[in-house]
Amino acid sequence: MQNKKILYIEIIILVLFFCTISSIILTIGGYIAGLLGIIITSIWGIVYVGIFGWYSCIEDSYLHIKTLIAIHSIPLLVLIPFFDIITKCMIIATLFLGIEVLLTTSRNIITSEKDHIKFRAKTIILPHTSGLVIWLMLLASILVYGNTIKTNPNGIILDESFISSQVTALSPLLKEVAPGVNIQGSVGNYIEGQIREQSLGVKVTNQDEIVKQQVTALSEKFGISLNPDTPIAEGFVSYVNKFLKPWMSGPIWGALVSFVVFLSLIPFVGWYQTGIRFVIYIVHKNAIKYKFINLHIKNIEKETIIL
C-alpha cells in the first residue's frame, strides 16, 4: 500500500514538473503575457519543489528516487531538436546538473530528517531546496537563450527611427565626434559647411567634386557606405551597428539576454522559499491528518508540525 501511495505522489511530481516546463516555454514563446507567465511558472515551480522536498522524507522513497529523477529527463530531451547545436549542448549540460541537484537534494533531506525527532520544514527541507530553485531559474534562462538566438539572431541593431527620437540626447555625443554637426541634415550638407568655414567665405570651385571626395574618404575611414545625400542620423546608425553586430548578435546576444533574465529572477529566491515552506506545511499537515503515508520519523502520530 505504501508503494502504491508513493507512486501516486511521483506521478503528481512529474505532472508538476511538466507543467512548470510548459509554462516556461509558453511564456518565452509569447503565448502567455510576460508577467502573467512568470507568476504562473513560479506557482507551478513552488508547488513542484515543495512536494518533491516533502516526497524525499517519505519512508522508502529513496528506493524510487533514481527512477523518478530519470523520468525528469524526458520533457527536456523532447525540447532538444527544436534548438540550435549550442542550445542543445547547454540543455544537456543543465539536465545533468539538474539530475545531480535532485539526487543531492533528496539525499540531504533524507539524512537531515533522520537526525530530527520532530518534522521541521525550516531545518529539514528548506536548506536543501534552494539548489532546485536555482536550477529551474537556470533552465528557464537557457530556454530564453535558445529562443533569443532563434527568433532574433541579429541581436541589437539600431534603426534610424530610434536615432530620430533621441536627437536631443544624442546631439552632444555627435558634437564630440564631429563638432558643428546637425543630426537632421545630410553628410553632404555638413561637409559643405566645413568647406565654407575653412575657405572663410571665398567661393570654392569644384565644390561638388570636393564634397564627393570628402564623403568617399569618410566612408572609407569609418567603413560604412555613405553618399552626399545620406542623412547624418542614418550614417551614425550604420557606424554604431558596425560595432554592435559582432558583439550583440548570435550566441553572445542570447547569452546576454539569458544572463539578465537569470539575475532578475535571483532576488525572488527568498519569496519562492516562503511559498515552498507553505506548500510543505499544507501537504504534510493533511498527510498526517488522514494518515496518508509514513515518514522516516518515528512516532508520527505524536508529531508536532513545526515550520
Side-chain angles (χ1 to χ4, degrees), residues 48-69:
Y48 160 73
V49 174
I51 294 181
F52 182 88
W54 178 80
Y55 161 84
S56 299
C57 295
I58 300 174
E59 187 178 0
D60 297 331
S61 65
Y62 59 90
L63 299 175
H64 306 255
I65 195 69
K66 290 184 179 179
T67 302
L68 174 65
I69 293 174

Side-chain angles (χ1 to χ4, degrees), residues 27 34-35 40 42 52 57 64 71 87 92 96 113 120-121 127 151 157 171 208 229 235 237 245 276 296-297:
T27 303
L35 180 59
I40 294 173
S42 298
F52 182 88
C57 295
H64 306 255
I71 299 175
T87 309
I92 292 173
F96 281 111
E113 186 204 16
R120 291 177 172 86
T151 59
I157 300 295
S171 291
D208 291 344
D229 296 326
V237 169
K245 191 171 182 179
I276 291 167
H296 293 293
I297 301 173

Side-chain angles (χ1 to χ4, degrees), residues 84-100:
D84 62 285
I85 185 65
I86 296 178
T87 309
K88 289 176 182 177
C89 292
M90 293 175 67
I91 292 175
I92 292 173
T94 308
L95 176 58
F96 281 111
L97 174 64
I99 289 173
E100 179 58 31

